Amino acid sequence: MVLLAMVVSYAAVAPETYWRSVLPNTPMPKAVTDILHNDKSTDIQVGKGGVSVNAPGVNIGVGSGGVSVHAPGTNVGVGKGGTVSVHAPGTNVGVGKGGDASMHVHKPKPKPKGDCEKISVGKGGIIVRCHNKKKPVNVHVSPFSYKYAANDDQLKDDPNVALFFVEKDMHHGNTMNLHFTKTTSPSSTFLPRKVADTIPFSSKKLPELYTRFSIKPNTEESESMKNTITGCEDKGMEGEKKYCATSLEAMVDFSTSELGKKVKAVSTEVNARMRTPLQKYTIEEAKKLASDVAVACHKQNYPYAVFYCHKTTTTKAYIVSLVGEDGTKAQAVAVCHTDTAKWNPKHLAFRVLKIKPGTTPVCHFLPEDHVVWVPY
């Protein structure tokens, strides 16, 4: 009965259902609908055999044969005869009909040769070197966190370099070289909040999280995951309120708590079936959104959808109509920061634009899977 209640609960708080209940007059931006439609691994079914819920990393089934719960590295089963079994990494617990229990702890496998070794973690990013690789792996910090400096590799390799500009350049007829992208984990999906809240989101739990998501430590994937969590744990700048949303419901709650429920949510939309290259775009029109207060939510590289959200009162948001050299049309969200005096002086924007903090408003277009919230 408890598991049946859990199934009903999960179904009742589906992310899109929650959005519609809290924000009935606010359409979902494309960034959100793309993630929801991409979530082919979440399925809720009710049939003669029972009820089953399948979500990324979570499987709950109630059928005629008993109850089973599956999560990464954990398996709980209840059979017809009352037999209960629990399987977790390195641990196996069994309870039979008679109530006898047994436990077996598996020793971890020895670390294979050729694993990566961390060299340094700095404000410019994380450098990892592997014994069987000649070049270090560089995991860039998010350019949308303004406390951190950009390293030389990020200046050369990060596609977000092309998104920064100064406000005076945002006018009809001006051309810019732009590259609209999504995060490197485009398949990551929203978890229902009740599922996401059961998963630790802490740098202290990283070994457990690597096991849960079958990620090898000291790899680019693990370091990127670590970078997301530590960035979320760091304090925001003075005057900035930040929050990392591990579910769509959490993003909705944070944004509405800061701006109220009369809000508009927007994201960059590129009218192209395939990913577009770095190319020249011409500005056709730029429309300023009504308020100078906004919450920007930036999608992070993580096994499931996590958004780094922050609110500032020194922000102007625009919808910019663009057309590319190849005919691609885009409705891009641009955010301009009017006070950058407290940003890291080596932030990516300053290195790209060759300006000093606090001298002129710094603007950037947002990638396709980021969201900006503004009151109306």
Side-chain angles (χ1 to χ4, degrees), residues 44-110:
I44 301 174
Q45 296 180 348
V46 181
K48 292 182 178 179
V51 183
S52 66
V53 176
N54 299 286
V58 179
N59 180 303
I60 303 173
V62 183
S64 57
V67 180
S68 64
V69 180
H70 303 279
T74 304
N75 182 309
V76 182
V78 183
K80 282 184 177 180
T83 302
V84 180
S85 63
V86 181
H87 304 279
T91 305
N92 183 311
V93 181
V95 182
K97 290 183 180 180
D100 294 332
S102 63
M103 177 181 289
H104 180 68
V105 179
H106 302 282
K107 293 182 180 179
K109 295 180 180 180

Side-chain angles (χ1 to χ4, degrees), residues 34-176:
D34 281 355
I35 296 172
L36 289 171
H37 294 163
N38 200 33
D39 190 4
K40 298 177 182 178
S41 55
T42 301
D43 184 29
I44 301 174
Q45 296 180 348
V46 181
K48 292 182 178 179
V51 183
S52 66
V53 176
N54 299 286
V58 179
N59 180 303
I60 303 173
V62 183
S64 57
V67 180
S68 64
V69 180
H70 303 279
T74 304
N75 182 309
V76 182
V78 183
K80 282 184 177 180
T83 302
V84 180
S85 63
V86 181
H87 304 279
T91 305
N92 183 311
V93 181
V95 182
K97 290 183 180 180
D100 294 332
S102 63
M103 177 181 289
H104 180 68
V105 179
H106 302 282
K107 293 182 180 179
K109 295 180 180 180
K111 187 176 180 180
K113 294 181 179 180
D115 275 1
C116 300
E117 179 181 356
K118 184 178 69 177
I119 295 178
S120 63
V121 179
K123 290 186 177 180
I126 301 173
I127 302 297
V128 181
R129 190 179 299 278
C130 301
H131 297 299
N132 55 2
K133 292 184 178 180
K134 294 182 180 179
K135 294 183 179 180
V137 177
N138 184 26
V139 182
H140 299 148
V141 297
S142 170
F144 306 109
S145 180
Y146 308 118
K147 291 177 61 177
Y148 299 105
N151 59 33
D152 291 338
D153 287 336
Q154 187 167 8
L155 194 63
K156 291 184 294 184
D157 302 334
D158 192 339
N160 291 307
V161 165
L163 298 180
F164 287 95
F165 60 97
V166 291
E167 190 174 26
K168 65 182 180 63
D169 290 339
M170 188 166 49
H171 60 80
H172 174 75
N174 192 33
T175 59
M176 298 180 180

Side-chain angles (χ1 to χ4, degrees), residues 12-36:
V13 292
E16 57 269 46
T17 302
Y18 187 79
W19 179 295
R20 288 193 292 267
S21 68
V22 177
L23 300 169
N25 299 315
T26 302
M28 282 187 181
K30 188 173 183 295
V32 172
T33 57
D34 281 355
I35 296 172
L36 289 171

Side-chain angles (χ1 to χ4, degrees), residues 170-174 178 180 269 281-287 318-324 328-334 365:
M170 188 166 49
H171 60 80
H172 174 75
N174 192 33
L178 300 172
F180 292 107
E269 297 186 21
Y281 284 84
T282 300
I283 297 177
E284 296 186 323
E285 185 181 22
K287 291 183 179 179
Y318 295 82
I319 299 293
V320 184
S321 299
L322 301 158
V323 59
T328 297
K329 291 190 175 183
Q331 294 289 314
V333 177
F365 290 109

Side-chain angles (χ1 to χ4, degrees), residues 261-323:
K261 293 186 178 180
K262 291 185 176 181
V263 290
K264 184 176 184 179
V266 294
S267 63
T268 292
E269 297 186 21
V270 180
N271 187 18
R273 292 184 180 180
M274 304 295 290
R275 289 195 174 188
T276 56
L278 173 66
Q279 64 175 317
K280 186 178 290 185
Y281 284 84
T282 300
I283 297 177
E284 296 186 323
E285 185 181 22
K287 291 183 179 179
K288 183 179 178 297
L289 298 178
S291 177
D292 287 343
V293 180
V295 170
C297 293
H298 308 287
K299 190 166 185 287
Q300 303 296 293
N301 287 322
Y302 209 70
Y304 54 92
V306 171
F307 281 79
Y308 171 92
C309 299
H310 55 143
K311 174 196 173 186
T312 63
T313 56
T314 57
T315 299
K316 293 185 283 186
Y318 295 82
I319 299 293
V320 184
S321 299
L322 301 158
V323 59

Side-chain angles (χ1 to χ4, degrees), residues 27 65 68 131 137 169 208 223 240-242 263 334 342 356:
S68 64
H131 297 299
V137 177
D169 290 339
E208 176 186 334
E223 294 302 325
E240 174 192 40
K241 190 166 185 179
K242 57 175 282 191
V263 290
K342 295 175 183 177
K356 293 182 179 180

